[in-house]
Every structure is written in C-alpha cells, then in structure tokens.
C-alpha cells in the first residue's frame, strides 16, 4: 500500500488487462512522474473473482484494463487502503481525462475538416468521375 496503482492480471483472462493496455497505463504513469505501477498477478492454478472488463472489451472492441488501488480486506467491513494511493489514483484519472480531451479535439477537428472539404471538393470529384 502507498506504493502506487495496481494492474490486475490473470492468465485465464478473468480480468480485462492485456499487454497493450498495461503498457499504456505504465507509460502514462511514467510520463506523469507517478510512482511505478505495481502488478498483481493471480496464479493460473488459483481461482479468482472476475470483472465485467473482459465482457465489455470483447463486446465493444474497446481496450480495457483492470486497475485500482491496493487494499486489504476487500469486500469486508474494514477495507483499508493507503491515502497516497488515493491521491495517485485521482491524478491518473486526471491524466486519462486530459488525454481523452486531446484525442477528442483531434477527432472533432479532423471531422470538421472532412465535413468542410466535402462541400469544397465534392463537385470537382463528382464531375471527374462522370468523365
């Protein structure tokens, strides 16, 4: 605890984490000068819970990761976690939201350019096809 965020992995794919999503999160943490992301790997021969991450990722094609703050006694009446991990978690969320807004701006800007270009060049392209 208080050592940074934790990525959950399982060889039986009970969590959504894969190599690409884990790399993305580790790189975001590195660039934001956050503590190194920790790994929690459930042994292949041990049962574990699951999350909805693999189901959503498979159904939508969206990259997903199972990640969170390390804690003791999950789902018990006395769950315990480190305060530094909470602060790190909020900063990671902030970084992700910021990246999302940058990508959204790029997508909207590109879409707007394509929309304007359609009206600018459509007649020219359409007439060249008819010839």
């Amino acid at each position: 605890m208080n050592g940074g965020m934790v990525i959950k992995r399982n060889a039986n794919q009970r969590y959504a984490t894969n190599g690409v999503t884990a790399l993305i999160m580790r790189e975001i943490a590195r660039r934001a000068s956050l503590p190194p992301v920790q790994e929690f790997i459930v042994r292949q021969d041990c049962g574990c819970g699951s999350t909805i991450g693999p189901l959503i990722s498979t159904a939508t094609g969206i990259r997903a990761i199972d990640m969170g703050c390390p804690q003791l006694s999950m789902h018990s009446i006395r769950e315990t976690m480190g305060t530094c991990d909470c602060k790190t978690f909020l900063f990671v969320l902030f970084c992700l939201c910021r990246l999302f807004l940058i990508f959204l701006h790029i997508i909207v800007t590109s879409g707007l350019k394509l929309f304007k270009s359609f009206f600018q060049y459509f007649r020219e392209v359409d007439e060249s096809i008819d010839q």
Side-chain angles (χ1 to χ4, degrees):
M1 292 195 309
N2 285 325
M5 302 294 293
V6 175
I7 296 174
K8 291 168 50 172
R9 293 178 174 268
N10 179 261
N12 296 325
Q13 298 178 336
R14 305 275 293 177
Y15 301 128
T17 305
N18 62 37
V20 174
T21 57
L23 173 72
I24 289 169
M25 286 309 303
R26 279 199 293 293
E27 184 60 18
I28 288 171
R30 186 188 69 76
R31 290 183 184 194
S33 300
L34 293 169
V37 176
Q38 303 175 72
E39 299 269 342
F40 176 75
I41 303 170
V42 177
R43 289 183 7 201
Q44 185 172 344
D45 62 339
C46 292
C48 68
S50 183
T51 65
I52 62 169
L55 179 67
I56 291 173
S57 185
T58 301
T60 62
I62 296 172
R63 291 181 179 159
I65 188 168
D66 277 306
M67 183 172 181
C69 297
Q71 56 185 313
L72 297 174
S73 307
M74 185 180 212
H75 302 301
S76 89
I77 197 167
R78 292 187 178 95
E79 289 183 11
T80 304
M81 69 176 282
T83 55
C84 292
D85 291 331
C86 186
K87 189 166 88 174
T88 301
F89 175 70
L90 292 174
F91 192 70
V92 167
L93 284 178
F94 170 77
C95 291
L96 285 173
C97 289
R98 195 166 145 217
L99 282 173
F100 174 75
L101 290 175
I102 291 169
F103 287 129
L104 184 64
H105 174 72
I106 291 168
I107 290 168
V108 168
T109 303
S110 298
L112 187 58
K113 283 182 183 176
L114 181 61
F115 186 74
K116 287 179 180 178
S117 299
F118 176 81
F119 289 105
Q120 183 177 357
Y121 297 111
F122 175 77
R123 179 169 288 167
E124 181 183 324
V125 172
D126 188 50
E127 289 173 356
S128 72
I129 294 172
D130 290 339
Q131 295 174 356

